[in-house]
Amino acid sequence: MQIRKLESKDANLFREIRLQALKQVPEAFAASYEEEFQEGISFFESKLLNKEVFFGLFKEEDKLVGIISLSRSTLLKMQHKAAIGSVFITKEARGKGFGKKLFTHVMEKAQAEGIEQLQLVVAAHNDKAKQLYESLGFQLFGLEKRALKVNGEYIDEEYMMKILR
């Protein structure tokens, strides 16, 4: 198992896991499968070269089984915090502690970069994810009713945060 920052050379693997995530758990992402499926590989390469940094968990050298992103604010007064997003572990890799490993890696990277606070958003009904986040010290600080509308159903989202130092 290896966790590393994804680079443009990983664009095909990233596209594959990203589309899988959007299709399997559409309520967990603001973006939709239909939108991103239409995009060419350059779209996914540009996402990997953006300010939002994506990390991947590789079971083997070319087997990407998990992703997570870290996005630090560019605004001077908000540079002490960052947002975690795009969290996904493939079905076959779930239940093996990979999500916790990804989060731990990203939290260590964030601290090393001087980030003091992390925030994330989770679907209110996603108890399994919330359990993981709470076990890592994240606390609820807000709720947005009807944040997303997926296939005619509204999804409430909870906002969580963790102070690193």
Side-chain angles (χ1 to χ4, degrees):
M1 182 203 67
Q2 177 194 22
I3 299 173
R4 65 172 173 78
K5 179 183 172 194
L6 296 178
E7 301 169 0
S8 59
K9 68 177 183 172
D10 301 308
N12 284 319
L13 292 173
F14 176 63
R15 179 182 191 273
E16 184 180 311
I17 196 170
R18 175 80 176 171
L19 292 177
Q20 183 180 353
L22 295 173
K23 194 170 199 175
Q24 286 181 10
V25 281
E27 69 278 2
F29 300 91
S32 72
Y33 174 83
E34 295 76 15
E35 289 168 314
E36 293 198 8
F37 178 77
Q38 304 297 323
E39 298 290 347
I41 199 66
S42 61
F43 171 82
F44 295 92
E45 285 174 343
S46 70
K47 282 183 85 64
L48 295 177
L49 299 172
N50 204 339
K51 287 180 262 178
E52 183 178 19
V53 178
F54 284 87
F55 295 90
L57 187 143
F58 291 81
K59 192 172 176 184
E60 298 158 22
E61 191 175 313
D62 63 344
K63 183 67 175 157
L64 182 59
V65 297
I67 55 172
I68 191 170
S69 72
L70 182 67
S71 180
R72 187 174 196 169
S73 178
T74 56
L75 298 173
L76 185 62
K77 295 177 186 178
M78 296 175 65
Q79 287 183 352
H80 67 289
K81 59 185 177 178
I84 289 178
S86 298
V87 180
F88 180 73
I89 304 293
T90 61
K91 280 185 181 178
E92 68 272 7
R94 290 182 194 155
K96 297 180 170 110
F98 290 154
K100 192 169 198 165
K101 285 180 182 8
L102 263 177
F103 261 87
T104 302
H105 181 84
V106 168
M107 289 189 296
E108 289 170 0
K109 290 283 187 191
Q111 269 193 304
E113 290 181 20
I115 294 169
E116 300 171 22
Q117 180 176 318
L118 293 173
Q119 297 177 333
L120 60 83
V121 180
V122 61
H125 69 273
N126 192 343
D127 294 329
K128 199 156 186 135
K130 290 192 301 186
Q131 265 182 330
L132 171 63
Y133 306 155
E134 287 169 355
S135 78
L136 293 166
F138 283 82
Q139 298 177 324
L140 177 69
F141 75 90
L143 170 73
E144 182 180 358
K145 301 292 264 174
R146 298 168 62 139
L148 301 176
K149 190 173 182 180
V150 180
N151 298 323
E153 285 190 44
Y154 291 105
I155 307 295
D156 297 343
E157 290 185 332
E158 293 182 355
Y159 291 78
M160 301 181 83
M161 56 92 59
K162 176 183 172 88
I163 296 176
L164 299 175
R165 55 176 154 143

